[in-house]
Amino acid sequence: MALEIFRTKPIRSIHAVDYGLKRCLSAWDLAFLGVGAIIGTGIFVLTGIAAATQAGPAVVVSFIIAGIACAFAALSYAELSAAVGGCGSAYGYSYAAFGELFAFIIGWDLLLEYGISVAAVANGWAGYFNNALTSIGLPLPEALTKAPKLGGYVNLPAFAIILVLMGLLIVGVKHSAKFNNMMVAVKLTTIAIFISIAVFNVHPENWHPFMPFGWFQTLPDGKTTGVLAGASLVFFAYVGFDAVSTAAEEAQNPQKDLPFGIVASLVFCTIIYIIVAGLLTGVVSYTDLNVASPVAHALMLMGKNWASALISTGVIAGLTTVMLVLYYGLTRIIFAMARDGLLSPYFSGVNNKTHTPVRVIVICGVIIALVAGFIPLGDLAELVNIGTLAAFVLVCLGVIVLRITKPDLERPFVTPFSPLFPVLGMLSCASLMAFLPALTWLRFVVWLILGLVVYFSYSMRHSKLAEV
């Protein structure tokens, strides 16, 4: 019953034409959105941290494990995005497969994932930006680069970049996509520079011992380490392909373009991650990589200061696109949930001139800017990961459920070897969740309980599903 309702009233009532969203994104725009979100924090920050503290040179294996888990989930995303249509993201697909309550839980989960991701990446972006200003003799006062908890007044660069991106998203998604494409080109160029230099400076002895932390262990302080724990951490690097699916209603041909954008961006980025991680741990010892900018730091240790400066420029561009795409995805999920009655209809308005949900963009921008400017968020990558993994498990399960309940549903893209691949996706993502610390699970449960309060006190009584 849930599918009939989802595919008739909600989809028809939320069609892009009815609500003013403009179908202007091509398949390559979507692929670049995915690359823009995926290649950023993972390659420029988490690679070094995971190598130094959790996996050593075997961080390459961590990326492969996380990439395989994401590949199974991506194929499930591709099938559902082509078959279900309407609102993209795990929220829309859970709505089709499981009904309203599960859809709300996943949507609520995604709000945490995207919002915290943007704020956390903004903090990383601010550090690189301030380093760039310092290198040209124009450093910001320290009080304007740190949150109050760290002894400052405000992290001004982190606060300001969110407001800049807010303005860009208000102007329109096509303009944002063009900006994203340019920034993707810049950061891919900088990665190419690193690869071209590193490939001739590899010292094989740096790969020994290859797996210094083993596969997995829990430390006395409750933290986890090892290759599998590293995979749970670097999984953060892959979450961007989910943002591609949130563009369903602005894609020119979603049934064909979304699967292409999701799969192409994930495959390309996985290959890049493996190459960079292997070279990074080959040119310097993994013990030297527990820094904020491991790629630039490695080049400085090699004496390539000019290349390090170029890499830093690419980092700024790379993290900018990550924030842009995740911010975009957050606003579209809120927009979709409000449109379905699960959140206030105030959030479902679209500006007639820009064809964008300006109210949602502004509210999200102000909140994220305040969080990024006043709260240090260095430990929240794991919280983002557990929410994303939970969403991926349900997407994979959704493919199996719809194969059983709706065998005649038209599927322009079909997940190969189903139900094997969706089951493997569920198992691999659930396994990565198991390797996360207990504190992360506690925070996640608290957030879900808060969401259930919202659902039973408001959403259940105002949903469009209840009106059918």
Side-chain angles (χ1 to χ4, degrees):
M1 180 63 181
L3 181 62
E4 281 88 348
I5 296 174
F6 183 82
R7 289 192 57 79
T8 56
K9 184 170 183 177
I11 283 189
R12 183 170 63 248
S13 67
I14 64 177
H15 193 278
V17 174
D18 297 334
Y19 272 75
L21 296 179
K22 186 177 181 182
R23 293 196 176 276
C24 56
L25 299 179
S26 68
W28 284 105
D29 284 331
L30 295 171
F32 270 76
L33 280 176
V35 174
I38 297 171
I39 293 186
T41 307
I43 200 167
F44 294 126
V45 180
L46 293 182
T47 304
I49 294 174
T53 65
Q54 294 188 312
V59 67
V60 174
V61 181
S62 297
F63 273 113
I64 292 174
I65 293 172
I68 291 173
C70 282
F72 291 133
L75 292 172
S76 295
Y77 262 95
E79 176 172 327
L80 292 181
S81 66
V84 174
C87 168
S89 85
Y91 161 72
Y93 308 147
S94 297
Y95 211 144
F98 308 112
E100 180 181 281
L101 177 58
F102 274 98
F104 177 87
I105 291 173
I106 291 301
W108 186 257
D109 177 13
L110 293 174
L111 298 188
L112 176 68
E113 171 198 334
Y114 281 70
I116 296 299
S117 294
V118 176
V121 175
N123 273 261
W125 183 95
Y128 286 110
F129 181 75
N130 190 51
N131 288 340
L133 291 180
T134 302
S135 67
I136 60 175
L138 296 173
L140 290 173
E142 187 172 349
L144 297 181
T145 62
K146 294 182 178 180
K149 184 178 179 180
L150 301 178
Y153 294 130
V154 61
N155 189 333
L156 185 60
F159 182 90
I161 187 60
I162 298 298
L163 297 184
V164 171
L165 295 178
M166 179 178 73
L168 189 59
L169 286 175
I170 288 174
V171 170
V173 65
K174 188 62 178 179
H175 295 287
S176 301
K178 289 180 179 178
F179 173 78
N180 176 74
N181 293 349
M182 290 188 295
M183 292 297 98
V184 168
V186 170
K187 65 181 175 182
L188 290 181
T189 300
T190 61
I191 292 172
I193 292 172
F194 170 74
I195 292 174
S196 64
I197 294 174
V199 73
F200 297 107
N201 291 274
V202 170
H203 301 284
E205 60 270 19
N206 288 327
W207 288 326
H208 302 284
F210 183 70
M211 199 180 295
F213 302 98
W215 283 102
F216 180 77
Q217 59 180 313
T218 300
L219 302 178
D221 61 0
K223 294 183 179 180
T224 55
T225 188
V227 172
L228 296 175
S232 297
L233 176 62
V234 301
F235 180 84
F236 181 83
Y238 290 101
V239 300
F241 81 80
D242 172 71
V244 177
S245 67
T246 65
E249 295 173 66
E250 288 154 292
Q252 293 172 353
N253 188 348
Q255 279 71 26
K256 292 183 179 180
D257 295 348
L258 282 175
F260 174 84
I262 291 169
V263 176
S265 60
L266 179 63
V267 171
F268 176 78
C269 293
T270 300
I271 294 172
I272 292 294
Y273 274 139
I274 292 171
I275 293 173
V276 171
L279 290 174
L280 185 61
T281 54
V283 296
V284 299
S285 171
Y286 72 91
T287 58
D288 295 325
L289 295 176
N290 191 17
V291 294
S293 181
V295 176
H297 181 66
L299 289 171
M300 289 185 65
L301 293 177
M302 296 163 57
K304 308 290 185 181
N305 293 340
W306 63 271
S308 178
L310 281 178
I311 291 296
S312 296
T313 302
V315 170
I316 293 174
L319 297 185
T320 300
T321 60
V322 172
M323 289 185 289
L324 178 67
V325 177
L326 294 178
Y327 185 176
Y328 166 83
L330 173 65
T331 61
R332 273 25 179 201
I333 292 171
I334 294 176
F335 174 77
M337 293 180 71
R339 188 180 49 190
D340 293 343
L342 302 184
L343 296 176
S344 170
Y346 178 81
F347 300 118
S348 63
V350 175
N351 185 276
N352 292 330
K353 293 183 179 180
T354 64
H355 301 283
T356 55
V358 174
R359 292 174 184 170
V360 175
I361 292 172
V362 171
I363 292 172
C364 289
V366 171
I367 294 174
I368 295 172
L370 291 172
V371 171
F374 292 96
I375 302 177
L377 296 169
D379 297 330
L380 290 180
E382 290 171 339
L383 182 58
V384 173
N385 285 358
I386 193 170
T388 307
L389 287 164
F392 288 2
V393 168
L394 280 185
V395 168
C396 293
L397 180 59
V399 169
I400 299 173
V401 170
L402 289 183
R403 288 287 185 93
I404 297 172
T405 59
K406 290 294 173 183
D408 298 327
L409 180 66
E410 182 181 355
R411 293 173 172 85
F413 178 88
V414 177
T415 302
F417 303 107
S418 184
L420 176 61
F421 276 14
V423 168
L424 290 175
M426 293 170 58
L427 293 176
S428 57
C429 290
S431 297
L432 290 178
M433 291 175 68
F435 296 124
L436 290 167
L439 182 59
T440 300
W441 278 91
L442 177 61
R443 291 168 175 167
F444 181 60
V445 170
V446 170
W447 176 255
L448 289 184
I449 291 174
L450 179 60
L452 290 175
V453 171
V454 173
Y455 176 78
F456 287 108
S457 63
Y458 176 86
S459 306
M460 186 172 65
R461 294 184 291 108
H462 293 84
S463 73
K464 299 294 176 63
L465 188 65
E467 297 175 3
V468 177

PDB file of all heavy atoms in Angstrom, residues 340-367:
ATOM      1  N   ASP A 340       5.975  16.554   2.063  1.00  0.00           N
ATOM      2  CA  ASP A 340       5.186  15.362   2.385  1.00  0.00           C
ATOM      3  C   ASP A 340       4.439  15.500   3.701  1.00  0.00           C
ATOM      4  O   ASP A 340       3.768  14.565   4.133  1.00  0.00           O
ATOM      5  CB  ASP A 340       6.103  14.132   2.457  1.00  0.00           C
ATOM      6  CG  ASP A 340       6.691  13.765   1.099  1.00  0.00           C
ATOM      7  OD1 ASP A 340       6.158  14.235   0.077  1.00  0.00           O
ATOM      8  OD2 ASP A 340       7.691  13.033   1.064  1.00  0.00           O
ATOM      9  N   GLY A 341       4.591  16.654   4.382  1.00  0.00           N
ATOM     10  CA  GLY A 341       3.861  16.900   5.617  1.00  0.00           C
ATOM     11  C   GLY A 341       4.564  16.425   6.866  1.00  0.00           C
ATOM     12  O   GLY A 341       4.023  16.569   7.967  1.00  0.00           O
ATOM     13  N   LEU A 342       5.769  15.872   6.742  1.00  0.00           N
ATOM     14  CA  LEU A 342       6.479  15.366   7.917  1.00  0.00           C
ATOM     15  C   LEU A 342       7.190  16.481   8.674  1.00  0.00           C
ATOM     16  O   LEU A 342       7.549  16.302   9.845  1.00  0.00           O
ATOM     17  CB  LEU A 342       7.484  14.290   7.506  1.00  0.00           C
ATOM     18  CG  LEU A 342       6.874  13.084   6.770  1.00  0.00           C
ATOM     19  CD1 LEU A 342       7.932  12.040   6.503  1.00  0.00           C
ATOM     20  CD2 LEU A 342       5.715  12.494   7.566  1.00  0.00           C
ATOM     21  N   LEU A 343       7.415  17.596   8.035  1.00  0.00           N
ATOM     22  CA  LEU A 343       7.896  18.811   8.679  1.00  0.00           C
ATOM     23  C   LEU A 343       6.958  19.937   8.288  1.00  0.00           C
ATOM     24  O   LEU A 343       6.110  19.783   7.404  1.00  0.00           O
ATOM     25  CB  LEU A 343       9.336  19.127   8.251  1.00  0.00           C
ATOM     26  CG  LEU A 343      10.420  18.101   8.650  1.00  0.00           C
ATOM     27  CD1 LEU A 343      11.772  18.521   8.073  1.00  0.00           C
ATOM     28  CD2 LEU A 343      10.515  17.947  10.165  1.00  0.00           C
ATOM     29  N   SER A 344       7.106  21.088   8.907  1.00  0.00           N
ATOM     30  CA  SER A 344       6.201  22.208   8.650  1.00  0.00           C
ATOM     31  C   SER A 344       6.181  22.589   7.166  1.00  0.00           C
ATOM     32  O   SER A 344       7.231  22.621   6.513  1.00  0.00           O
ATOM     33  CB  SER A 344       6.647  23.423   9.480  1.00  0.00           C
ATOM     34  OG  SER A 344       5.943  24.580   9.078  1.00  0.00           O
ATOM     35  N   PRO A 345       4.995  22.893   6.606  1.00  0.00           N
ATOM     36  CA  PRO A 345       4.905  23.313   5.200  1.00  0.00           C
ATOM     37  C   PRO A 345       5.646  24.611   4.926  1.00  0.00           C
ATOM     38  O   PRO A 345       5.877  24.956   3.757  1.00  0.00           O
ATOM     39  CB  PRO A 345       3.388  23.470   4.980  1.00  0.00           C
ATOM     40  CG  PRO A 345       2.811  23.657   6.349  1.00  0.00           C
ATOM     41  CD  PRO A 345       3.672  22.839   7.257  1.00  0.00           C
ATOM     42  N   TYR A 346       6.044  25.314   5.967  1.00  0.00           N
ATOM     43  CA  TYR A 346       6.823  26.540   5.793  1.00  0.00           C
ATOM     44  C   TYR A 346       8.106  26.260   5.019  1.00  0.00           C
ATOM     45  O   TYR A 346       8.613  27.119   4.300  1.00  0.00           O
ATOM     46  CB  TYR A 346       7.161  27.123   7.167  1.00  0.00           C
ATOM     47  CG  TYR A 346       8.008  28.381   7.122  1.00  0.00           C
ATOM     48  CD1 TYR A 346       7.421  29.621   6.876  1.00  0.00           C
ATOM     49  CD2 TYR A 346       9.383  28.318   7.321  1.00  0.00           C
ATOM     50  CE1 TYR A 346       8.192  30.772   6.829  1.00  0.00           C
ATOM     51  CE2 TYR A 346      10.163  29.459   7.281  1.00  0.00           C
ATOM     52  CZ  TYR A 346       9.565  30.685   7.035  1.00  0.00           C
ATOM     53  OH  TYR A 346      10.334  31.828   6.985  1.00  0.00           O
ATOM     54  N   PHE A 347       8.631  25.042   5.156  1.00  0.00           N
ATOM     55  CA  PHE A 347       9.903  24.698   4.523  1.00  0.00           C
ATOM     56  C   PHE A 347       9.749  24.206   3.090  1.00  0.00           C
ATOM     57  O   PHE A 347      10.734  23.844   2.457  1.00  0.00           O
ATOM     58  CB  PHE A 347      10.611  23.612   5.336  1.00  0.00           C
ATOM     59  CG  PHE A 347      10.925  24.005   6.743  1.00  0.00           C
ATOM     60  CD1 PHE A 347      10.376  23.304   7.806  1.00  0.00           C
ATOM     61  CD2 PHE A 347      11.760  25.080   7.011  1.00  0.00           C
ATOM     62  CE1 PHE A 347      10.664  23.661   9.112  1.00  0.00           C
ATOM     63  CE2 PHE A 347      12.046  25.444   8.318  1.00  0.00           C
ATOM     64  CZ  PHE A 347      11.497  24.737   9.369  1.00  0.00           C
ATOM     65  N   SER A 348       8.528  24.161   2.568  1.00  0.00           N
ATOM     66  CA  SER A 348       8.318  23.604   1.228  1.00  0.00           C
ATOM     67  C   SER A 348       8.118  24.670   0.153  1.00  0.00           C
ATOM     68  O   SER A 348       7.784  24.350  -0.981  1.00  0.00           O
ATOM     69  CB  SER A 348       7.115  22.655   1.232  1.00  0.00           C
ATOM     70  OG  SER A 348       5.921  23.354   1.552  1.00  0.00           O
ATOM     71  N   GLY A 349       8.314  25.943   0.502  1.00  0.00           N
ATOM     72  CA  GLY A 349       8.136  27.001  -0.479  1.00  0.00           C
ATOM     73  C   GLY A 349       9.317  27.126  -1.428  1.00  0.00           C
ATOM     74  O   GLY A 349      10.469  26.932  -1.048  1.00  0.00           O
ATOM     75  N   VAL A 350       9.039  27.449  -2.701  1.00  0.00           N
ATOM     76  CA  VAL A 350      10.073  27.652  -3.723  1.00  0.00           C
ATOM     77  C   VAL A 350       9.958  29.069  -4.259  1.00  0.00           C
ATOM     78  O   VAL A 350       8.873  29.530  -4.605  1.00  0.00           O
ATOM     79  CB  VAL A 350       9.936  26.634  -4.875  1.00  0.00           C
ATOM     80  CG1 VAL A 350      10.923  26.932  -5.994  1.00  0.00           C
ATOM     81  CG2 VAL A 350      10.122  25.223  -4.361  1.00  0.00           C
ATOM     82  N   ASN A 351      11.076  29.771  -4.338  1.00  0.00           N
ATOM     83  CA  ASN A 351      11.088  31.129  -4.852  1.00  0.00           C
ATOM     84  C   ASN A 351      10.798  31.123  -6.353  1.00  0.00           C
ATOM     85  O   ASN A 351      11.398  30.355  -7.110  1.00  0.00           O
ATOM     86  CB  ASN A 351      12.459  31.768  -4.580  1.00  0.00           C
ATOM     87  CG  ASN A 351      12.493  33.225  -4.975  1.00  0.00           C
ATOM     88  OD1 ASN A 351      12.712  33.559  -6.134  1.00  0.00           O
ATOM     89  ND2 ASN A 351      12.300  34.118  -4.014  1.00  0.00           N
ATOM     90  N   ASN A 352       9.899  31.983  -6.792  1.00  0.00           N
ATOM     91  CA  ASN A 352       9.483  31.994  -8.195  1.00  0.00           C
ATOM     92  C   ASN A 352      10.587  32.445  -9.145  1.00  0.00           C
ATOM     93  O   ASN A 352      10.614  32.056 -10.312  1.00  0.00           O
ATOM     94  CB  ASN A 352       8.266  32.912  -8.371  1.00  0.00           C
ATOM     95  CG  ASN A 352       7.025  32.361  -7.696  1.00  0.00           C
ATOM     96  OD1 ASN A 352       6.860  31.144  -7.588  1.00  0.00           O
ATOM     97  ND2 ASN A 352       6.161  33.246  -7.215  1.00  0.00           N
ATOM     98  N   LYS A 353      11.502  33.263  -8.657  1.00  0.00           N
ATOM     99  CA  LYS A 353      12.571  33.780  -9.524  1.00  0.00           C
ATOM    100  C   LYS A 353      13.765  32.835  -9.616  1.00  0.00           C
ATOM    101  O   LYS A 353      14.293  32.593 -10.699  1.00  0.00           O
ATOM    102  CB  LYS A 353      13.025  35.162  -9.024  1.00  0.00           C
ATOM    103  CG  LYS A 353      11.971  36.251  -9.156  1.00  0.00           C
ATOM    104  CD  LYS A 353      12.522  37.604  -8.704  1.00  0.00           C
ATOM    105  CE  LYS A 353      11.486  38.693  -8.865  1.00  0.00           C
ATOM    106  NZ  LYS A 353      12.005  40.040  -8.426  1.00  0.00           N
ATOM    107  N   THR A 354      14.197  32.317  -8.484  1.00  0.00           N
ATOM    108  CA  THR A 354      15.404  31.488  -8.481  1.00  0.00           C
ATOM    109  C   THR A 354      15.113  29.998  -8.617  1.00  0.00           C
ATOM    110  O   THR A 354      16.017  29.206  -8.871  1.00  0.00           O
ATOM    111  CB  THR A 354      16.195  31.700  -7.181  1.00  0.00           C
ATOM    112  OG1 THR A 354      15.392  31.252  -6.068  1.00  0.00           O
ATOM    113  CG2 THR A 354      16.545  33.171  -6.996  1.00  0.00           C
ATOM    114  N   HIS A 355      13.824  29.610  -8.449  1.00  0.00           N
ATOM    115  CA  HIS A 355      13.417  28.206  -8.485  1.00  0.00           C
ATOM    116  C   HIS A 355      14.172  27.387  -7.446  1.00  0.00           C
ATOM    117  O   HIS A 355      14.530  26.225  -7.682  1.00  0.00           O
ATOM    118  CB  HIS A 355      13.633  27.608  -9.886  1.00  0.00           C
ATOM    119  CG  HIS A 355      12.873  28.312 -10.963  1.00  0.00           C
ATOM    120  ND1 HIS A 355      11.521  28.147 -11.168  1.00  0.00           N
ATOM    121  CD2 HIS A 355      13.287  29.227 -11.892  1.00  0.00           C
ATOM    122  CE1 HIS A 355      11.126  28.904 -12.170  1.00  0.00           C
ATOM    123  NE2 HIS A 355      12.173  29.570 -12.624  1.00  0.00           N
ATOM    124  N   THR A 356      14.423  27.966  -6.293  1.00  0.00           N
ATOM    125  CA  THR A 356      15.111  27.273  -5.201  1.00  0.00           C
ATOM    126  C   THR A 356      14.326  27.469  -3.906  1.00  0.00           C
ATOM    127  O   THR A 356      13.633  28.483  -3.734  1.00  0.00           O
ATOM    128  CB  THR A 356      16.538  27.817  -5.001  1.00  0.00           C
ATOM    129  OG1 THR A 356      16.480  29.235  -4.790  1.00  0.00           O
ATOM    130  CG2 THR A 356      17.408  27.520  -6.213  1.00  0.00           C
ATOM    131  N   PRO A 357      14.415  26.527  -2.969  1.00  0.00           N
ATOM    132  CA  PRO A 357      13.734  26.665  -1.674  1.00  0.00           C
ATOM    133  C   PRO A 357      14.508  27.620  -0.765  1.00  0.00           C
ATOM    134  O   PRO A 357      15.247  27.206   0.131  1.00  0.00           O
ATOM    135  CB  PRO A 357      13.733  25.233  -1.132  1.00  0.00           C
ATOM    136  CG  PRO A 357      14.923  24.587  -1.750  1.00  0.00           C
ATOM    137  CD  PRO A 357      15.073  25.212  -3.116  1.00  0.00           C
ATOM    138  N   VAL A 358      14.332  28.904  -0.977  1.00  0.00           N
ATOM    139  CA  VAL A 358      15.149  29.922  -0.319  1.00  0.00           C
ATOM    140  C   VAL A 358      15.009  29.864   1.202  1.00  0.00           C
ATOM    141  O   VAL A 358      15.995  30.014   1.927  1.00  0.00           O
ATOM    142  CB  VAL A 358      14.781  31.327  -0.846  1.00  0.00           C
ATOM    143  CG1 VAL A 358      15.514  32.401  -0.053  1.00  0.00           C
ATOM    144  CG2 VAL A 358      15.131  31.434  -2.327  1.00  0.00           C
ATOM    145  N   ARG A 359      13.791  29.658   1.698  1.00  0.00           N
ATOM    146  CA  ARG A 359      13.602  29.634   3.151  1.00  0.00           C
ATOM    147  C   ARG A 359      14.480  28.557   3.806  1.00  0.00           C
ATOM    148  O   ARG A 359      15.160  28.815   4.798  1.00  0.00           O
ATOM    149  CB  ARG A 359      12.143  29.348   3.483  1.00  0.00           C
ATOM    150  CG  ARG A 359      11.171  30.459   3.105  1.00  0.00           C
ATOM    151  CD  ARG A 359       9.752  29.982   3.341  1.00  0.00           C
ATOM    152  NE  ARG A 359       8.764  30.971   2.908  1.00  0.00           N
ATOM    153  CZ  ARG A 359       7.459  30.737   2.821  1.00  0.00           C
ATOM    154  NH1 ARG A 359       6.985  29.546   3.160  1.00  0.00           N
ATOM    155  NH2 ARG A 359       6.637  31.677   2.411  1.00  0.00           N
ATOM    156  N   VAL A 360      14.438  27.361   3.238  1.00  0.00           N
ATOM    157  CA  VAL A 360      15.224  26.264   3.797  1.00  0.00           C
ATOM    158  C   VAL A 360      16.713  26.571   3.699  1.00  0.00           C
ATOM    159  O   VAL A 360      17.481  26.322   4.637  1.00  0.00           O
ATOM    160  CB  VAL A 360      14.901  24.947   3.070  1.00  0.00           C
ATOM    161  CG1 VAL A 360      15.810  23.822   3.560  1.00  0.00           C
ATOM    162  CG2 VAL A 360      13.437  24.574   3.283  1.00  0.00           C
ATOM    163  N   ILE A 361      17.139  27.111   2.565  1.00  0.00           N
ATOM    164  CA  ILE A 361      18.558  27.419   2.361  1.00  0.00           C
ATOM    165  C   ILE A 361      19.036  28.418   3.405  1.00  0.00           C
ATOM    166  O   ILE A 361      20.112  28.250   4.000  1.00  0.00           O
ATOM    167  CB  ILE A 361      18.785  27.968   0.937  1.00  0.00           C
ATOM    168  CG1 ILE A 361      18.535  26.863  -0.101  1.00  0.00           C
ATOM    169  CG2 ILE A 361      20.209  28.509   0.788  1.00  0.00           C
ATOM    170  CD1 ILE A 361      18.556  27.347  -1.531  1.00  0.00           C
ATOM    171  N   VAL A 362      18.252  29.462   3.656  1.00  0.00           N
ATOM    172  CA  VAL A 362      18.659  30.500   4.607  1.00  0.00           C
ATOM    173  C   VAL A 362      18.672  29.955   6.034  1.00  0.00           C
ATOM    174  O   VAL A 362      19.634  30.172   6.786  1.00  0.00           O
ATOM    175  CB  VAL A 362      17.721  31.720   4.508  1.00  0.00           C
ATOM    176  CG1 VAL A 362      18.004  32.714   5.632  1.00  0.00           C
ATOM    177  CG2 VAL A 362      17.887  32.397   3.151  1.00  0.00           C
ATOM    178  N   ILE A 363      17.623  29.255   6.432  1.00  0.00           N
ATOM    179  CA  ILE A 363      17.564  28.723   7.797  1.00  0.00           C
ATOM    180  C   ILE A 363      18.709  27.748   8.048  1.00  0.00           C
ATOM    181  O   ILE A 363      19.408  27.829   9.072  1.00  0.00           O
ATOM    182  CB  ILE A 363      16.204  28.047   8.044  1.00  0.00           C
ATOM    183  CG1 ILE A 363      15.088  29.094   8.050  1.00  0.00           C
ATOM    184  CG2 ILE A 363      16.212  27.282   9.370  1.00  0.00           C
ATOM    185  CD1 ILE A 363      13.696  28.516   8.091  1.00  0.00           C
ATOM    186  N   CYS A 364      18.922  26.828   7.113  1.00  0.00           N
ATOM    187  CA  CYS A 364      20.024  25.870   7.259  1.00  0.00           C
ATOM    188  C   CYS A 364      21.366  26.593   7.293  1.00  0.00           C
ATOM    189  O   CYS A 364      22.248  26.256   8.096  1.00  0.00           O
ATOM    190  CB  CYS A 364      20.014  24.862   6.116  1.00  0.00           C
ATOM    191  SG  CYS A 364      18.671  23.669   6.176  1.00  0.00           S
ATOM    192  N   GLY A 365      21.519  27.601   6.422  1.00  0.00           N
ATOM    193  CA  GLY A 365      22.780  28.326   6.363  1.00  0.00           C
ATOM    194  C   GLY A 365      23.110  29.028   7.666  1.00  0.00           C
ATOM    195  O   GLY A 365      24.249  28.970   8.149  1.00  0.00           O
ATOM    196  N   VAL A 366      22.126  29.690   8.251  1.00  0.00           N
ATOM    197  CA  VAL A 366      22.356  30.410   9.506  1.00  0.00           C
ATOM    198  C   VAL A 366      22.704  29.435  10.632  1.00  0.00           C
ATOM    199  O   VAL A 366      23.657  29.651  11.393  1.00  0.00           O
ATOM    200  CB  VAL A 366      21.111  31.241   9.879  1.00  0.00           C
ATOM    201  CG1 VAL A 366      21.251  31.824  11.278  1.00  0.00           C
ATOM    202  CG2 VAL A 366      20.898  32.356   8.855  1.00  0.00           C
ATOM    203  N   ILE A 367      21.950  28.343  10.734  1.00  0.00           N
ATOM    204  CA  ILE A 367      22.211  27.370  11.807  1.00  0.00           C
ATOM    205  C   ILE A 367      23.586  26.730  11.641  1.00  0.00           C
ATOM    206  O   ILE A 367      24.380  26.643  12.593  1.00  0.00           O
ATOM    207  CB  ILE A 367      21.116  26.290  11.836  1.00  0.00           C
ATOM    208  CG1 ILE A 367      19.773  26.908  12.243  1.00  0.00           C
ATOM    209  CG2 ILE A 367      21.503  25.164  12.798  1.00  0.00           C
ATOM    210  CD1 ILE A 367      18.610  25.946  12.170  1.00  0.00           C
TER     211      ILE A 367
END
